[in-house]
Amino acid sequence: MSSVISTIGTMAGTLLQSNAEAASYEAEAQQAIVQSRVSALNYERESNAIKERVLANMASSAARSASGGISPYESGSSGHYLNLASLSAAATDSRIALNNAEIARKMGKFQEAQYFSAARTTRRFGKIAAVTKGAENFEEMRKSWGGGATG
């Protein structure tokens, strides 16, 4: 009787262990999503900071042009070209930061899917391992109770 209880305990322990490992993978999946969102947010903040800097530079350029007697908004003026150059570089840098944010989000989703897949696989194999261990233990009990070896 104690060997039957031991076998059931072994099976239950195997299932509990695989469920604990699966829960750990699921927690890592959630953490991957949170980390990717934080990274994406940081990239979006970087993009916003770039836009703020270019606006400040353009305002400064306009003020300098106007103080020098040059129309800051006249097409073809040096102030106009400075603003276009600043805007072009900022647009490129901002787009790169926003692309990085999107990549961070997608990588988080990819990692989340990997961890959830690992959790499902761990649970599945935990059940198989529990049944296999139980079957092995019951076979050992059957032999010890006088069933003899089967061939």
Side-chain angles (χ1 to χ4, degrees):
M1 182 65 172
S2 66
S3 24
V4 171
I5 293 171
S6 173
T7 298
I8 292 170
T10 299
M11 292 173 68
T14 301
L15 284 173
L16 289 172
Q17 180 182 1
S18 68
N19 285 340
E21 288 177 36
S24 174
Y25 284 127
E26 289 168 349
E28 289 184 59
Q30 295 300 327
Q31 184 178 7
I33 282 295
V34 169
Q35 286 175 342
S36 71
R37 288 178 183 168
V38 167
S39 292
L41 181 61
N42 287 335
Y43 284 121
E44 288 169 356
R45 284 182 180 165
E46 180 182 336
S47 173
N48 289 339
I50 290 167
K51 292 172 190 172
E52 288 174 7
R53 282 194 305 271
V54 79
L55 288 175
N57 288 343
M58 289 174 73
S60 173
S61 173
R64 286 187 185 136
S65 295
S67 71
I70 301 171
S71 173
Y73 304 111
E74 181 181 325
S75 181
S77 70
S78 59
H80 175 75
Y81 287 123
L82 285 173
N83 284 342
L84 284 177
S86 293
L87 187 59
S88 175
T92 299
D93 291 346
S94 176
R95 183 78 259 156
I96 289 170
L98 291 175
N99 286 342
N100 286 342
E102 186 61 25
I103 289 168
R105 278 189 205 92
K106 287 181 179 180
M107 284 304 297
K109 288 180 181 180
F110 176 73
Q111 286 179 319
E112 176 192 36
Q114 282 186 312
Y115 283 125
F116 276 129
S117 176
R120 282 190 304 275
T121 302
T122 299
R123 280 200 172 90
R124 197 172 297 135
F125 283 121
K127 291 174 187 173
I128 292 168
V131 169
T132 302
K133 286 180 181 181
E136 288 172 356
N137 286 352
F138 280 123
E139 180 62 20
E140 288 297 318
M141 283 187 287
R142 189 185 67 75
K143 287 178 185 177
S144 69
W145 288 341
T150 59

